[in-house]
C-alpha cells in the first residue's frame, strides 16, 4: 500500500489580496515522482514552494488549510522551519552553485548543521556526487571552483548539494529547462535513480518529461488542481476535458 508522504488539505494561498491557489487537496506518495504540470502562472511553483515554506520569505503571503508531512502540520507554530528545509530539499530552475570549490558546495549544508569532521565531510561529498551521477566527472578536481562546470554538471552539483543534508523530500522546479537534451536526459535518469530513496516533486513544462519521469501527475490551471492521478491515467485517459486539451496541446 502506498503511503502518503505529503497531505494537502483545503489549501488556499494568497499574495496580498490576490489568491493564487484555490482549495487544493492532494496526497503525494512516498518514494514516487509526482509531476506538476500546467500553463505558466497556474500556481505550480507557488504550490511547490509552499511545501518547504519558501513562500514565507515573500512579504504579504498567507496560507489557509493544512499541509502535513509525515502527519505533522508544517505550518504549525511549533514547526522548526530550518529542520523542515533540511527534510525538504529544493533544486531550482537555474543552477545556482556557490562561487566556491566543488567540495565546499556540497559540504556547505552539513557544515552549517555543525559537522566539522573532514573525513565525514569527504564521505558525504563522495556519496552525494555518486548519487548525482557526477563523481566520475569531478573526483580529480574537487578543489576547483564549481563555476567552471558545464550547465548540466552545475545542475547535478546542485542536486548533490541538496542531498548532502539528507532530505526525505526533494522539490525540483523545472530542473532541466535551461539544459541541452543530453544534460536533460542525465537529469531524468538521475530522477529515476533517486526515487528509490526520496519522494520527488517536480514542476515541468515538458509533457514528454512528465511522462518519462513521473509516477503521478497533477494538472494545475488558474490556481486550481484540475486533475490528479497516475501519470499513465492522466496521459491516456484523463477524466477532465481541460486536462485532455492541455495534454494534447490544444491550449497552454
Amino acid at each position: 500500500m502506498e503511503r502518503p508522504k505529503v497531505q494537502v488539505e483545503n489549501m488556499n494561498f494568497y499574495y496580498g489580496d490576490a489568491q493564487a491557489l484555490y482549495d487544493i487537496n492532494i496526497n503525494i506518495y512516498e518514494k514516487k515522482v509526482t509531476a506538476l504540470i500546467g500553463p505558466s502562472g497556474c500556481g505550480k511553483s507557488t504550490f511547490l514552494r509552499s511545501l518547504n515554506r519558501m513562500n514565507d520569505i515573500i512579504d504579504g503571503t498567507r496560507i489557509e488549510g493544512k499541509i502535513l508531512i509525515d502527519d505533522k502540520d508544517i505550518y504549525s507554530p511549533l514547526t522548526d522551519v530550518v529542520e523542515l528545509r533540511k527534510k525538504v530539499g529544493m533544486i531550482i530552475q537555474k543552477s545556482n552553485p556557490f562561487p566556491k570549490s566543488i567540495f565546499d558546495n556540497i559540504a556547505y549544508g552539513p557544515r552549517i548543521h555543525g559537522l566539522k569532521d573532514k573525513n565525514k565531510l569527504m564521505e558525504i561529498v563522495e556519496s552525494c556526487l555518486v548519487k548525482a551521477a557526477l563523481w566520475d566527472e569531478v573526483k580529480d578536481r574537487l578543489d576547483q571552483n564549481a563555476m567552471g562546470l558545464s550547465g548540466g554538471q552545475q545542475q547535478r552539483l546542485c542536486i548533490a548539494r541538496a542531498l548532502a543534508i539528507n532530505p526525505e523530500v526533494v522539490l525540483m522546479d523545472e530542473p532541466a529547462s535551461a539544459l541541452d537534451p543530453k544534460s536533460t536526459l542525465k537529469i531524468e535518469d538521475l530522477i529515476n535513480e533517486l526515487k528509490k530513496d526520496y519522494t520527488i516533486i517536480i514542476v515541468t513544462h515538458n509533457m514528454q518529461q512528465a511522462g518519462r519521469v513521473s509516477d503521478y501527475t497533477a494538472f494545475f490551471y488558474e490556481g486550481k488542481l484540475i486533475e490528479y492521478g497516475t501519470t499513465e491515467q492522466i496521459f491516456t485517459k484523463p477524466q477532465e476535458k481541460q486536462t485532455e486539451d492541455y495534454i494534447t496541446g490544444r491550449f497552454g
Side-chain angles (χ1 to χ4, degrees), residues 93-145:
Q93 180 171 355
K94 185 169 172 358
S95 57
N96 59 339
F98 304 135
K100 301 168 180 279
S101 71
I102 292 168
F103 183 94
D104 286 342
N105 262 272
I106 295 167
Y108 181 82
R111 278 178 177 149
I112 278 188
H113 291 286
L115 186 63
K116 295 194 171 60
D117 182 319
K118 189 87 176 146
N119 292 334
K120 282 222 169 63
L121 286 169
M122 186 62 224
E123 275 173 33
I124 290 170
V125 168
E126 180 175 347
S127 139
C128 292
L129 286 169
V130 167
K131 282 182 182 168
L134 192 56
W135 173 249
D136 290 341
E137 294 167 47
V138 303
K139 63 176 187 272
D140 300 325
R141 46 182 177 139
L142 296 178
D143 57 347
Q144 291 180 16
N145 195 312

Side-chain angles (χ1 to χ4, degrees), residues 49 53-61 81 85:
R49 288 195 307 267
R53 292 187 49 174
M54 285 304 280
N55 291 323
D56 289 17
I57 58 182
I58 304 167
D59 283 346
T61 57
V81 178
R85 290 186 189 143

